[in-house]
């Protein structure tokens, strides 16, 4: 069975601080995908990144970076120089392309990030 | 052009009523999903469906039923609504086969409030 754990329920930082959101996953499969989604206060789910299990390269996109480590089953997300607009709930998710639930994503419980001025 | 659209966006109704939420996608995807997000923001899969197979999360009460008139639509019917059904319901779609990258494309959500 798959499981995604986001141990940080809420994080509060002051603008311009760096913040890392942790994600640990469990799966028996060798082929899988990992995702991060952002849910701002307006409620929609915004796709941020997808990683497949064979690609452990870290990725940077502007102020966002992701650290994927298979050895520790972690896929952490760092926001550099945080801004108020980064305030949102962030979800880590795991997809097993061979599961019998189609390609449904299993989500972690989310980390609520509050960035204050 | 909205890729995955849900209607209504807000729905307030009384306990015991029957209601539907509609979902349409114009992405040409084969697989559609319904997720429930509860008051604690936890997102849980309810159904996944393609034109061949409906897969139901076993924890979903049988008062919930998906209806798919064609592969671009997956509507959610809820009978005998209960207070605990209050949540935000998200529709999503994804391609299948070689086009599948695991990414889901979500609608904007439908907030259901049961009084």
């Amino acid at each position: 069975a798959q499981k995604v754990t986001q141990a940080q329920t809420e994080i509060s930082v002051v603008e311009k601080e760096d913040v890392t959101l942790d994600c640990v996953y469990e799966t028996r499969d060798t082929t899988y995908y990992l995702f991060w989604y952002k849910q701002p206060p307006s409620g929609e789910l915004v796709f941020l990144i997808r990683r497949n299990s064979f690609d452990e390269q870290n990725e940077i996109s502007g102020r966002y970076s992701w650290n994927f480590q298979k050895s520790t089953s972690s896929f952490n997300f760092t926001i550099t120089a945080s801004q108020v607009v980064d305030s949102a709930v962030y979800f880590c998710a795991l997809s097993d392309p061979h599961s019998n639930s189609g390609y449904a994503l299993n989500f972690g419980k989310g980390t609520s990030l509050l960035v204050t001025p | 052009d909205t890729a995955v659209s849900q209607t209504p966006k807000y729905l307030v109704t009384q306990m015991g009523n029957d209601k539907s939420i509609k979902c349409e996608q114009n992405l040409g995807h084969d697989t559609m999903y319904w997720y429930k997000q509860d008051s604690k923001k936890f997102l849980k899969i309810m159904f996944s469906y393609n034109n061949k197979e409906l897969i139901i999360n076993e924890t979903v009460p049988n008062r919930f039923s998906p209806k798919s008139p064609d592969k671009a639509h997956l509507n959610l019917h809820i009978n005998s609504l209960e207070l605990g059904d209050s949540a935000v319901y998200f529709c999503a779609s994804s391609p299948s086969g070689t086009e599948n990258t695991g990414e889901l494309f979500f609608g904007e959500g439908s907030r259901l409030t049961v009084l």
Side-chain angles (χ1 to χ4, degrees):
Chain A
Q2 294 189 333
K3 186 178 179 182
V4 177
T5 302
Q6 295 180 254
Q8 304 148 309
T9 306
E10 295 180 351
I11 301 176
S12 183
V13 299
V14 177
E15 209 169 18
K16 299 184 184 176
E17 285 184 15
D18 299 346
V19 57
T20 295
L21 310 181
D22 298 332
C23 174
V24 175
Y25 63 93
E26 295 175 28
T27 180
R28 296 178 194 168
D29 292 281
T30 56
T31 303
Y32 51 88
Y33 295 98
L34 291 160
F35 299 82
W36 277 93
Y37 279 84
K38 173 183 179 180
Q39 188 174 39
S42 50
E44 72 274 21
L45 287 162
V46 179
F47 167 79
L48 294 178
I49 190 171
R50 175 189 64 249
R51 259 288 175 265
N52 75 49
S53 51
F54 298 108
D55 182 2
E56 285 194 73
Q57 256 191 328
N58 292 331
E59 181 154 339
I60 298 174
S61 176
R63 296 183 298 106
Y64 295 171
S65 62
W66 291 269
N67 184 336
F68 175 30
Q69 296 206 352
K70 283 180 80 169
S71 59
T72 55
S73 297
S74 65
F75 187 42
N76 297 338
F77 172 33
T78 298
I79 302 175
T80 303
S82 59
Q83 299 177 1
V84 172
V85 292
D86 295 327
S87 297
V89 180
Y90 291 87
F91 293 96
C92 181
L94 173 64
S95 170
D96 173 10
H98 303 295
S99 78
N100 61 7
S101 62
Y103 301 99
L105 294 179
N106 290 306
F107 284 87
K109 293 190 175 182
T111 297
S112 178
L113 174 65
L114 177 64
V115 182
T116 55
Chain B
D1 289 343
T2 304
V4 181
S5 59
Q6 301 178 222
T7 54
K9 190 167 183 179
Y10 299 96
L11 182 56
V12 180
T13 188
Q14 300 286 331
M15 265 197 320
N17 285 350
D18 303 337
K19 289 294 178 185
S20 296
I21 305 172
K22 296 183 177 180
C23 179
E24 175 181 5
Q25 53 96 4
N26 62 8
L27 298 168
H29 290 165
D30 293 326
T31 307
M32 297 183 73
Y33 310 80
W34 278 104
Y35 276 82
K36 178 181 180 180
Q37 185 174 42
D38 63 22
S39 58
K40 295 183 179 179
K41 298 287 189 179
F42 185 45
L43 277 158
K44 190 172 181 181
I45 181 72
M46 299 178 70
F47 306 100
S48 64
Y49 183 82
N50 63 26
N51 53 14
K52 299 175 185 176
E53 190 175 11
L54 171 66
I55 300 168
I56 301 171
N57 183 322
E58 61 186 12
T59 67
V60 175
N62 58 15
R63 298 181 295 103
F64 290 78
S65 58
K67 307 283 185 192
S68 180
D70 55 61
K71 78 170 195 176
H73 297 83
L74 184 65
N75 304 324
L76 182 65
H77 294 262
I78 316 169
N79 295 325
S80 303
L81 279 156
E82 300 178 357
L83 293 177
D85 298 333
S86 295
V88 180
Y89 293 86
F90 285 95
C91 178
S93 70
S94 69
S96 59
T98 56
E99 294 182 21
N100 176 52
T101 59
E103 181 184 349
L104 297 188
F105 294 77
F106 284 92
E108 293 184 338
S110 296
R111 180 177 293 277
L112 171 65
T113 302
V114 182
L115 303 176

